[in-house]
Structures are given as structure tokens and as C-alpha cells.
Amino acid sequence: MSLTETMPSAVHPFLDEDHLDVREMVREFALGEVAPIATALDEEKRFPHETIPKLAELGLLGVPWPEEYGGTGMDYRAYSIVVEELARVCGTTSITVAAHTSLGTAPIYKFGTEEQKQRWVPRLATGEMLGAFALTEAGAGSDAKMTRVTAVQDGDHWVVNGTKIYCTNGTHAGTIVFTARAGQGELGDTKNICAFVVEKDTPGFEYGTLEDKLGLRGSDTRELVFKDCRIPAANKLGEEGQGFHAFMQTLEAGRISIGAMALGLAQGALDVALPYVREREQFGKRLIRMQPVAHQLADMAVEIRAARNLVYEAAWLHDHGQPYGLAASAAKLYASEVAMRCAHRAIQVMGGVGYTREYPAERIMRDAKLCEIGEGTSEIQRLIIGRHLDREG
């Protein structure tokens, strides 16, 4: 079965013909190049080295960045479609692209000086190197203002010490954007948090533990260790003390891409379950003709449709310069929980075989769980949405 059989209507109020062309191109690449290795990436915990250069050749590592910086000059909706379509067949590949684009490259493009943008963005957008983003620490997860990594200015350098965890693409990134506490203020004071860029192979910058994860097992999730790491002053992003707010804005936009990834995983679960229940027979009839099974599939289809509208709306608002924080949190929250429900339903209607590795339903469930955690847990998204409602009241 091809993915197009469960494809939503080509007409969508938030998309135009260019977006549909991107979707068609990425789907063809995903089916031809990504799907055949997705199981192996998961089972072997292998980074997608084969497909990253091919994604770069297609311009898919720089979709939302202007052509003068090496990008394709498209928008956030096009980028979200890329993430969505890759996730339909491989969560590992999808999150690799998402972390590179919305987390590893976006802060440099949005908050960097012109010199910094010219120095790094073209190399990232063209895929000459990958980007990564390091915010989380052992004592600073949801409460990111408790950053303990320190940066002390020494002439024309900053000396960095401390450890970051859960850095996606960490091992393979040419540049990593990270936060550190600079100055003598109290722990938890966001005015002391600055953003920096560290380049691969900088003395004093080392790799720690490579995480062994439940899902997205081919995605690189790495601990980063700074030991008297000297970073040039020219590598500081934005004004001193603005790093925390820059990273929060980065995460706000990144939630759209996590929503898109969750959407793709949810659609992938339906893609797996639907042909199976159409063909499998029990009690003398095909499973899809049994009301309990049909109802499960109907719920999947309805929730996927709703999630798609939330994700595309958030991306549309981003593209049109309108406030999108509430929409991004809503899309991320809903789509991530839909992905988990759809994966669960896919396994349930497929029965025992859905629980095995013969089909990717179980992998989709493991991959989808990250979407409820990364870039702000579901609980954090509800807090954000609640604060928006309080302000509106």
C-alpha cells in the first residue's frame, strides 16, 4: 500500500500549491529512501548517515531560511510538512531534521549578528554540517532558568564549565547553540543566562553519555561536557542576559515542528493499521467491517484531521507574523497526545501482530512518547495555555 491511500484531501485552507508540491516531493523521498532503512535505524540504534546528505541535496535541511543564507526561501508550513512526511515513515529521521532546523539553526538566524549568520547559517542550511541545541541540565529541565553551566569572561573569550544533557544531534553537529549562566547573579535569575555557539572539536568541549532510549533510537541524544572550554567572545548570541528569552522563543517555534512530527507519527499509525484491518479476517468477515474496529479507525482519522488543522494553523500564524505561541502549544499538546492514542489504537486493532516488530506500529508508539516530553511536556503546555487564557480574561 502507498501512503497516498490514507492521504488527507489535497485542498487545505492553510496550504497553497507550493506546499502540495513539497509534500509530494518529500513523500516520494520518504518512501523510496527513508522507509526501507527505518527499521534498521531503530534496531541498530544507528544515526541516519545515509539519508542526511540526500536530504541536503534536496534542500530539506534549510527549508525556512532565505536563499541568501543557503536556504530554499520557503516558509514554516513547508518546513512542517517536511517534518510531518518524514515522521510518517521514520521518527528518527524526522527529529534529526527538526532539531537541526528549528533548534540548531533558528537561534543563529533569529538572534545572531549579520557576521554570525553569514558564518554559520549557510553551512547549516545547505547541510554542510548539522546543528544542535543544548538547554537541558540534570537540575534544569522544565525549569530551564535553573541553568548551572557557567561562562566567565576572560579577555576575548568565555570560559565555560558544566554539563548539558539530552542534546539531539549532539555527536554529529558542527555547531551547538547552548545556554550558560554568566555574571554573579543568583541561580534562577534569567538576566544572567546567555546564549553561545560552540563548534565541534573546540578544546575543552567533550561528549559524555550517549543515551539509550525507548524510542527514536537512531536519533543521537548526547550529554555534553564543558571543561574550561574557551569560546571566542564572537560566539555569544545576542545581548548579554537575553539568552533565556531567546531560547524560550526558539522553543515556542520548535513546538510547531514537534506537533508536525507527532502528526506524521499519528498518520503513520493509521497507514499501518488500515491495510491490515482491510485484509485480515476474523469470524468470517474483514476486521474493518467489525464495528468496534471501525470505530477505533474512525477516532484515529478524526483526531488526525483535527491535529493537522492545529499544526498548519500554528505554522500559518508563524508565516504571517502573527502571535503563534498559544497555537503552537495547542498544536504540540494535542498532536503529541493524538500520536500516542493512534499508535495504541493501531496496535489494539492489529492484535498480537501489532505488538511484534513485524509491523512498525510498536516503533511508532515508542517514538511518539518523546513528543509528549520534548520541547515542553504536556503538563508545561497546559500551563502555557492556561496562562494565555488568564491574560485574555
Side-chain angles (χ1 to χ4, degrees), residues 56-262:
E57 289 176 11
L58 293 172
L60 299 181
L61 298 183
V63 172
W65 315 125
E67 293 180 8
E68 58 265 35
Y69 293 107
T72 64
M74 296 195 73
D75 55 27
Y76 223 75
R77 281 167 291 169
Y79 161 60
S80 297
I81 289 168
V82 171
V83 173
E84 174 191 353
E85 290 298 325
L86 292 174
R88 287 181 75 172
V89 300
C90 180
T92 281
T93 304
S94 180
I95 198 171
T96 299
V97 173
H100 160 78
T101 307
S102 62
L103 298 183
T105 308
I108 301 174
Y109 175 73
K110 292 181 179 179
F111 304 107
T113 63
E114 184 60 29
E115 187 278 330
Q116 289 170 332
K117 289 192 282 189
Q118 292 290 348
R119 179 180 174 188
W120 288 309
V121 174
R123 297 168 65 196
L124 291 163
T126 59
E128 178 183 334
M129 63 182 181
L130 287 177
F133 171 100
L135 174 64
T136 305
E137 300 176 16
S142 294
D143 189 5
K145 68 178 181 295
M146 297 303 290
T147 293
R148 284 178 168 81
V149 170
T150 60
V152 178
Q153 192 159 17
D154 181 19
D156 59 356
H157 282 74
W158 289 86
V159 181
V160 181
N161 283 281
T163 301
K164 295 288 187 179
I165 60 175
Y166 305 151
C167 177
T168 304
N169 295 347
T171 311
H172 306 281
T175 60
I176 299 174
V177 184
F178 71 96
T179 53
R181 191 160 48 89
Q184 303 302 314
E186 295 183 1
L187 184 67
D189 183 353
T190 61
K191 293 191 294 295
N192 297 316
I193 298 176
C194 296
F196 299 88
V197 179
V198 63
E199 296 182 307
K200 191 180 183 72
D201 300 326
T202 299
F205 172 62
E206 303 172 3
Y207 301 119
T209 302
L210 179 63
E211 301 295 343
D212 187 6
K213 308 186 298 296
L214 171 72
L216 301 169
R217 291 172 64 78
S219 167
D220 180 86
T221 306
R222 179 67 80 167
E223 179 184 58
L224 309 177
V225 181
F226 298 89
K227 296 180 179 179
D228 292 327
C229 179
R230 295 181 64 83
I231 295 176
N235 286 28
K236 183 170 70 66
L237 281 181
E239 297 298 321
E240 189 164 336
Q242 294 301 307
F244 180 81
H245 298 290
F247 268 44
M248 291 304 102
Q249 290 180 48
T250 298
L251 289 175
E252 194 170 72
R255 287 173 186 135
I256 301 174
S257 63
I258 291 293
M261 177 180 159

